[in-house]
Amino acid sequence: MSSRGEVAVVGAGLVGCLTACYLARRGYRVTLYERRSDPRQATPERGRSINLALSERGIDALRGIGLDEAVLKAALPMPGRMVHAPDGTLSFQPYSAGGQRAINSISRSELNRTLLEAALAMPGVRALFEHRLTGLDVDSGRMDFDTPAGPVTHSAPVVLGADGAYSAVRGRLQLLPGFDFSQDYLDYGYKELTIPARDGGFALDPGALHIWPRGKAMMIALPNPDRSFTCTLFWPKSGPGSFEELDTAERFEEFFAANYADARALMPDLAGDYAHNPIGHLVTVRAHPWQVRGTGAVVGLLGDAAHAIVPFYGQGANCGFEDCVELDRCLQETGDDFPEALARYGARRKEHADTIAELALANFVEMRDKVASRTFLLGKRVEHGLERLLPGRYTSRYELVSFSTVPYAEIQPRISRQRRAVAAGALGALAVAGLAVSAIRALRRH
Amino acid sequence: MSSRGEVAVVGAGLVGCLTACYLARRGYRVTLYERRSDPRQATPERGRSINLALSERGIDALRGIGLDEAVLKAALPMPGRMVHAPDGTLSFQPYSAGGQRAINSISRSELNRTLLEAALAMPGVRALFEHRLTGLDVDSGRMDFDTPAGPVTHSAPVVLGADGAYSAVRGRLQLLPGFDFSQDYLDYGYKELTIPARDGGFALDPGALHIWPRGKAMMIALPNPDRSFTCTLFWPKSGPGSFEELDTAERFEEFFAANYADARALMPDLAGDYAHNPIGHLVTVRAHPWQVRGTGAVVGLLGDAAHAIVPFYGQGANCGFEDCVELDRCLQETGDDFPEALARYGARRKEHADTIAELALANFVEMRDKVASRTFLLGKRVEHGLERLLPGRYTSRYELVSFSTVPYAEIQPRISRQRRAVAAGALGALAVAGLAVSAIRALRRH
């Protein structure tokens, strides 16, 4: 296999396009194969975005190919959460101690277009649209595709699956003995709703990620550059207050108005959104290994194809972008020995992907339930107080996930160390205070 | 849907054939679709049996259609384990307190033939061989098959997948949103070896399941009616003492002779078995739900297709047979409302399948490692002593799994209750003894 040969990247979504950029920079010839039609010509699917919150890990990956500034120019920074109580009361919770650090609301389809154009502007990169993978031979790197012009066959010594949670590439690897895999669906679905611009301006504060925590359910809203907000309802699939129960426009609207009154008032086309936007599913995918070596080819997985997660920590794309950076690093370390680099990349990334998958599941409970509680708010205030008191020595989990590139699996041990240090410091301070009091008493006695 | 209509059973293995028997008895017309050729004409695949140990759950299911006696006639009872130490020392461990209860060594291919013939002897049952499922539409019950004569299409209002751990029926259901699934491979493979009859007799005691526990690896051997033994080596796939490391006939034979000396002496064709028998894989499959209802059809899963487990508790087929009994019971309860019966069956069986999956994984450690330890043997002796002391009130986990039809998930709670009762009894006995001693002392003092 030539060290600067042909690489097939299946999937021209966010991670596929970024992978193409990184590989092209290393001198590889890259073909992107995409099931959908060219996004530069088509309109995006309705109601399938789950707005993207770009944070440090994703920005760092874009920085690596010089795209960070261009992308952030089109983004809206959200330095905190705005919590909407059932009675309409608002409360703002900053994401960082100083309140300056922000996650960035960005259009998934815009970002995809930017990355695709960046990839295609690099030498040796091409994209074939409306190519649906129907077969893959791991030993030869032979790929069969269905296209509007009929079936076609291509092959490459390196095949990378960046084709998302329902990856066709991974679907083939799943048939190999020894390939571990799981797909776990949440008992929740999601539906997108829209708050349009009002009198030419934002109908809500654009400097926040808005949350309507409702215990067993919630809605979030992220601002768009056109001054609208994209809202996402997360409701149980069945049972009380579920999509199944509220299955007519009337039932849906009545329940929605009763529980999300302030938002309802800002949604003139609630009925249209309800009728036209599908109910999406939320799945966690785990796979192992992320690379399989055949006799004449090697196949690897990146992004959601390797580790789809639920969206509640805003880390899906950010985590996928980190894959591209790590693969690039491993290619560098191995002198572009692709099979070895993929093995090293998989071995390093797996535990981090597993960790963020769990954190994302846990954060759903936090967002829909805990953010509305006083104990939670008090805890956040104490945490931010500590961060200001001990700058650089105490950093919250949220900040380590969203505003650092500390590998996910190293975050919890670090939090535990910080807490032990703070506890020891507090004990030390108490001891010093105790000694001082004793000394004062002794002095007084004399 | 006619309540006594057509049922398609995909897979004519053990569970598929038993399902056909139960359904035919209820009056259904059943077509068995089998990927392989007719087992009544073909020779079984070499080295793929993992001998079957039929125990109470399986026998009970056969009893339900009057096949138990015929099947047991061809079986060899194994009332305990014979443990082979590295130096060739033998020790026998009975499975039950009295030593009479036995699991039964039986040929998988013989049993399959018996069940297939029983099914085909019933009115309304037919079997189509060399039919490989390539497509399934859940809404219409339409099935596409590849056959030697080209592609064919059938349909049925009820489609049951009894097509094993790598089920094609389940493969279609896995594509549906909300369908949870996992496949987890053990880092161990297996290979079958043979101890032929010696001088027309058994080379080892046929009244036992033989185990060579070797810490991280093991071999087992089960007797066959032709006086041979089928042995199964369970070795790590990679690392020290693995199939990967011992990858030539010389290395393999040298290592085998050093660690399984007494068995080696009984294997004249070890080289042939090594060369011709494939290395098998050991997978645990979990799926949920086990039934999906379309607009015009319902699809269900039974046996390994729903819950493949590792073979170390000898429960794979027994558990699959219990599925058939439960489905029959649910059809009875629901007046043959097939969709409702399948839903009820799945809801009831899932936790039991999950439980035996865990027990089977745990039993691998027991078999390959613990059975050779004195602490384990002492524990077994104490347990069997309690069983004899408290007949019917203390039953070991092994006996509840193998010699009862207590649902798997109810076994651990029952064991815990028994232990608490024994502990309370022992405390009570101590208290009584203490009172007696006090009384004697008091009497003496007077």
Side-chain angles (χ1 to χ4, degrees):
Chain A
M1 189 187 309
S2 152
S3 70
R4 292 295 193 277
E6 169 84 12
V7 178
V9 176
V10 181
L14 299 178
V15 170
C17 291
L18 188 63
T19 302
C21 292
Y22 270 98
L23 291 179
R25 201 181 52 175
R26 300 194 70 78
Y28 292 94
R29 279 175 293 117
V30 180
T31 305
L32 285 158
Y33 298 95
E34 170 58 45
R35 183 170 62 84
R36 297 188 179 85
S37 52
D38 190 337
R40 292 167 300 177
Q41 286 140 33
T43 48
E45 274 182 83
R46 179 170 180 155
R48 313 287 321 209
S49 70
I50 304 196
N51 317 46
L52 204 60
L54 194 65
S55 53
E56 181 53 26
R57 292 164 203 272
I59 296 166
D60 185 64
L62 294 171
R63 195 178 289 129
I65 50 159
L67 274 180
D68 53 325
E69 287 185 19
V71 167
L72 284 177
K73 228 173 261 172
L76 290 163
M78 302 178 290
R81 296 167 169 157
M82 186 72 80
V83 176
H84 294 240
D87 66 1
T89 310
L90 298 180
S91 54
F92 182 76
Q93 302 173 12
Y95 282 132
S96 61
Q100 304 91 340
R101 297 177 132 181
I103 58 176
N104 303 278
S105 175
I106 194 156
S107 150
R108 177 181 295 263
S109 53
E110 278 300 323
L111 180 58
N112 205 350
R113 258 194 290 266
T114 304
L115 286 170
L116 177 61
E117 279 161 9
L120 291 174
M122 299 182 81
V125 179
R126 64 172 181 158
L128 300 175
F129 296 97
E130 298 181 75
H131 274 59
R132 189 173 65 84
L133 188 82
T134 57
L136 168 64
D137 179 54
V138 174
D139 277 330
S140 64
R142 179 196 147 113
M143 299 162 284
D144 301 314
F145 295 95
D146 261 0
T147 77
V152 297
T153 294
H154 294 270
S155 70
V158 178
V159 177
L160 300 179
D163 49 347
Y166 305 101
S167 169
V169 173
R170 192 194 61 228
R172 307 302 295 183
L173 301 187
Q174 280 164 225
L175 304 177
L176 302 176
F179 191 88
D180 293 338
F181 168 73
S182 72
Q183 60 188 32
D184 288 291
Y185 283 86
L186 229 54
D187 297 330
Y188 282 76
Y190 72 88
K191 191 185 267 278
E192 286 197 6
L193 306 174
T194 308
I195 294 178
R198 204 168 49 164
D199 308 328
F202 285 103
L204 296 169
D205 181 348
L209 188 154
H210 293 260
I211 309 187
W212 289 255
R214 295 296 181 263
K216 294 285 169 205
M218 71 167 182
M219 183 170 75
I220 62 170
L222 280 78
N224 299 314
D226 69 359
R227 309 203 167 172
S228 68
F229 279 84
T230 303
C231 309
T232 314
L233 261 185
F234 296 97
W235 279 6
K237 288 184 180 174
S238 59
S242 68
F243 285 117
E244 190 180 79
E245 188 190 61
L246 307 165
D247 63 346
T248 65
E250 292 67 38
R251 278 184 212 139
F252 176 86
E253 284 194 47
E254 190 187 343
F255 184 90
F256 187 82
N259 290 277
Y260 306 81
D262 61 338
R264 174 69 192 92
L266 306 173
M267 294 178 168
D269 191 26
L270 180 61
D273 281 344
Y274 174 79
H276 299 297
N277 291 346
I279 296 170
H281 302 274
L282 300 158
V283 69
T284 301
V285 167
R286 296 180 185 83
H288 179 78
W290 290 358
Q291 78 294 327
V292 174
R293 197 173 175 163
T295 49
V298 65
V299 178
L301 299 173
L302 292 108
D304 285 359
H307 50 73
I309 64 177
V310 293
F312 305 110
Y313 225 119
Q315 287 294 308
N318 290 288
C319 176
F321 282 7
E322 274 195 327
D323 287 352
C324 308
V325 176
E326 187 62 54
L327 177 58
D328 185 61
R329 188 179 295 132
C330 293
L331 286 166
Q332 182 66 28
E333 288 175 13
T334 59
D336 283 274
D337 178 338
F338 226 115
E340 176 55 30
L342 275 172
R344 197 177 285 199
Y345 143 85
R348 283 191 195 156
R349 287 294 292 164
K350 173 69 175 152
E351 63 168 335
H352 302 308
D354 287 344
T355 300
I356 192 63
E358 293 306 314
L359 287 176
L361 286 165
N363 219 44
F364 185 29
V365 182
E366 176 164 330
M367 289 177 82
R368 70 176 201 241
D369 205 354
K370 291 193 198 153
V371 291
S373 98
R374 288 188 184 188
T375 321
F376 174 83
L377 289 176
L378 182 65
K380 278 282 165 201
R381 257 182 241 126
V382 169
E383 203 164 45
H384 287 165
L386 282 171
E387 292 181 78
R388 283 190 294 267
L389 211 64
L390 306 165
R393 284 162 58 205
Y394 192 94
T395 315
S396 72
R397 179 184 293 118
Y398 189 91
E399 292 194 56
L400 288 169
V401 169
S402 302
F403 304 133
S404 89
T405 55
V406 172
Y408 294 120
E410 292 171 20
I411 290 175
Q412 190 50 48
R414 179 155 163 179
I415 298 275
S416 300
R417 277 200 308 276
Q418 288 179 168
R419 287 193 178 148
R420 279 198 301 274
V422 167
L427 277 176
L430 279 175
V432 168
L435 283 174
V437 167
S438 304
I440 290 164
R441 280 187 185 155
L443 283 172
R444 277 194 187 155
R445 242 176 276 143
H446 290 277
Chain B
M1 188 185 306
S2 151
S3 70
R4 292 295 194 280
E6 168 85 12
V7 178
V9 177
V10 181
L14 299 178
V15 170
C17 290
L18 188 63
T19 301
C21 291
Y22 270 97
L23 291 179
R25 202 181 50 176
R26 301 193 69 78
Y28 291 95
R29 280 174 294 115
V30 179
T31 304
L32 284 157
Y33 298 94
E34 169 59 45
R35 184 170 61 84
R36 298 189 178 84
S37 52
D38 190 338
R40 292 168 299 178
Q41 286 139 35
T43 50
E45 274 182 83
R46 181 169 180 158
R48 311 289 320 213
S49 69
I50 304 197
N51 316 50
L52 205 60
L54 195 66
S55 52
E56 181 53 26
R57 291 163 204 272
I59 296 166
D60 185 63
L62 293 171
R63 197 178 289 130
I65 50 159
L67 274 181
D68 53 323
E69 287 185 17
V71 167
L72 284 177
K73 228 173 258 171
L76 290 162
M78 303 179 291
R81 295 167 169 158
M82 186 72 81
V83 176
H84 294 240
D87 65 2
T89 311
L90 299 180
S91 52
F92 182 77
Q93 302 173 9
Y95 282 132
S96 62
Q100 304 93 338
R101 296 177 134 182
I103 58 175
N104 302 279
S105 176
I106 194 156
S107 152
R108 176 181 295 266
S109 53
E110 278 300 327
L111 180 58
N112 206 349
R113 257 194 291 266
T114 305
L115 287 170
L116 176 60
E117 280 162 7
L120 291 175
M122 298 180 82
V125 179
R126 64 173 181 157
L128 300 176
F129 296 97
E130 298 180 76
H131 275 57
R132 188 172 66 82
L133 187 82
T134 57
L136 168 64
D137 179 55
V138 175
D139 277 331
S140 64
R142 179 195 148 111
M143 299 163 284
D144 302 314
F145 296 95
D146 260 1
T147 79
V152 297
T153 293
H154 294 270
S155 68
V158 178
V159 177
L160 301 179
D163 48 346
Y166 305 101
S167 170
V169 173
R170 193 194 60 231
R172 306 303 296 183
L173 301 187
Q174 281 164 226
L175 304 178
L176 302 175
F179 191 87
D180 292 339
F181 168 73
S182 73
Q183 59 187 34
D184 288 292
Y185 284 86
L186 228 54
D187 296 331
Y188 282 77
Y190 72 86
K191 191 185 267 275
E192 286 198 5
L193 305 173
T194 306
I195 293 178
R198 202 168 52 164
D199 308 327
F202 284 103
L204 296 169
D205 181 349
L209 186 154
H210 294 259
I211 309 188
W212 287 256
R214 296 295 181 266
K216 295 284 169 205
M218 71 168 182
M219 183 169 76
I220 63 169
L222 279 77
N224 299 315
D226 68 0
R227 311 206 163 172
S228 68
F229 280 83
T230 304
C231 309
T232 313
L233 262 185
F234 295 97
W235 279 6
K237 287 185 179 172
S238 59
S242 68
F243 286 117
E244 188 181 81
E245 187 191 62
L246 306 164
D247 63 346
T248 66
E250 293 68 38
R251 277 186 212 135
F252 177 86
E253 284 194 47
E254 189 188 340
F255 184 91
F256 187 82
N259 291 277
Y260 306 81
D262 61 338
R264 174 69 193 92
L266 306 174
M267 293 177 170
D269 192 26
L270 180 62
D273 281 343
Y274 174 79
H276 299 298
N277 292 347
I279 296 170
H281 301 273
L282 300 158
V283 69
T284 301
V285 168
R286 295 180 186 84
H288 179 77
W290 290 358
Q291 77 295 327
V292 174
R293 195 171 178 164
T295 50
V298 64
V299 178
L301 299 173
L302 292 110
D304 285 0
H307 50 72
I309 63 178
V310 294
F312 304 111
Y313 225 120
Q315 287 295 306
N318 290 287
C319 176
F321 282 8
E322 275 194 328
D323 288 350
C324 307
V325 176
E326 186 62 53
L327 177 58
D328 186 60
R329 187 178 297 132
C330 293
L331 285 166
Q332 182 66 30
E333 289 175 11
T334 58
D336 284 272
D337 178 339
F338 227 114
E340 177 54 31
L342 275 172
R344 197 177 284 201
Y345 143 86
R348 282 192 196 158
R349 288 292 294 162
K350 173 68 175 155
E351 64 169 335
H352 303 308
D354 287 344
T355 301
I356 192 62
E358 293 306 314
L359 287 176
L361 286 165
N363 218 43
F364 185 30
V365 182
E366 175 164 329
M367 289 177 83
R368 72 176 200 241
D369 203 355
K370 292 194 198 153
V371 291
S373 98
R374 288 188 184 185
T375 321
F376 175 83
L377 288 177
L378 182 64
K380 277 281 165 202
R381 256 181 243 126
V382 168
E383 203 163 46
H384 288 164
L386 281 172
E387 291 181 79
R388 283 190 294 268
L389 210 62
L390 306 166
R393 284 163 57 207
Y394 192 95
T395 314
S396 72
R397 179 184 292 117
Y398 189 91
E399 292 194 57
L400 288 169
V401 169
S402 301
F403 305 133
S404 89
T405 55
V406 172
Y408 294 121
E410 292 171 19
I411 290 176
Q412 189 51 47
R414 176 154 165 179
I415 299 274
S416 301
R417 277 200 307 276
Q418 289 179 167
R419 287 195 179 147
R420 278 197 302 274
V422 167
L427 277 176
L430 278 174
V432 168
L435 283 175
V437 167
S438 304
I440 289 165
R441 279 189 186 151
L443 283 172
R444 274 191 190 157
R445 241 179 274 141
H446 287 275

